[in-house]
Amino acid sequence: MNTNVWKVDKYVDKLESNPHIVDAAHFLRENEVVALPTETVYGLGGNAENDEAVTKIFAAKGRPADNPLIIHIADKVQLDRFVKEVPEKAKNLIDAFWPGPLTIIFNKKEGVLSEKATAGLSTVAVRMPDHPVALALFRECGLPIAAPSANSSGKPSPTTADHVVDDLNGKIAGVLDAGPTGVGVESTVVDCTEEIPVILRPGGVTKEQLEAVVGEVRVDPALTNTEGDARPKAPGMKYRHYAPNAPLYLVSGTREFLQRLVDEKRQEGMRVGVLTTEEHSAEFAADVVLACGQRAELETVAAALYDTLRKFNQVDVDVIFSEMFPTSGVGLAIMNRLQKAAGNKIISE
């Protein structure tokens, strides 16, 4: 399959009439899959109402079929088509954070969406992204769009169109290239089917921000459980994700302790990488030291995280050691992604 790359300026008016968006919408209506930008990461979109289209998403990614997909919409009125009800707390969150990096889980109406898109669950995860190109595409095609991240399953999520092409060239119909994404980590997933909302995946909207709108919000303890046979209720809950090619270890301890680990591996003849921040990058002696944003501004770490993990694949290292980060604010999402990428391998001082 020839994979088209369509460059689109997200700042122009009347994006729905952009010929590249018209072309991409045509492919979606023909049940092909197209990668598209959002404010978090690039997504791999397909018609959420069609089994053939959803099957192509799973095939392109190599994604386990029991891992549900997020349904993307351009207008809140679309919820009425496939959601049983919108609880009051969900309404409040929608008013506060849509469009934006928040996915909400609802009880679904049967017989509308592809069962493959929801992995046979009685619930559905929905979001409205805050990206003009994505919204224009959804309006032009007139469909709810199932869209996981547009990468090979298990690898770091794509924050540029080049990342998408690296993973999926020849496997999908096209990529709408609107430049780098902003947030850098995926949307927060919150389950609103119970009285107290539950975070199933931390992301671009923090627990603190959610609680400012709806009061108490819980964090699902299954976030740290990567084993077992339970069917995941939201993307990213069960399987190893975001991993670079070399083994990644998180280091809990001082920077001096991390340096000792580096020295031990180098003495064994291994090439060693260190994932750190701009503040500390000059303090490590390793074969490759990559700064991932600024520790003082964790939003910059989130924005750079996946690109940094992918850069390690380009520099020939045998093992990677990473600093850890506070779990307040967006730090919860950063550490969730790093723990997934490391397969929960943590070395403590």
Side-chain angles (χ1 to χ4, degrees), residues 14-17 21 25 74 131-141:
K14 299 181 180 179
L15 277 168
E16 286 89 344
S17 61
I21 288 178
H131 197 289
V133 172
L135 294 175
L137 177 63
F138 301 158
R139 293 187 184 108
E140 175 63 23
C141 73

Side-chain angles (χ1 to χ4, degrees), residues 131-173:
H131 197 289
V133 172
L135 294 175
L137 177 63
F138 301 158
R139 293 187 184 108
E140 175 63 23
C141 73
L143 298 167
I145 298 298
S149 55
N151 57 295
S152 296
S153 189
K155 297 302 181 182
S157 298
T159 54
T160 69
D162 286 343
H163 294 164
V164 179
V165 173
D166 287 345
D167 281 11
L168 303 179
N169 190 29
K171 298 180 179 180
I172 62 176

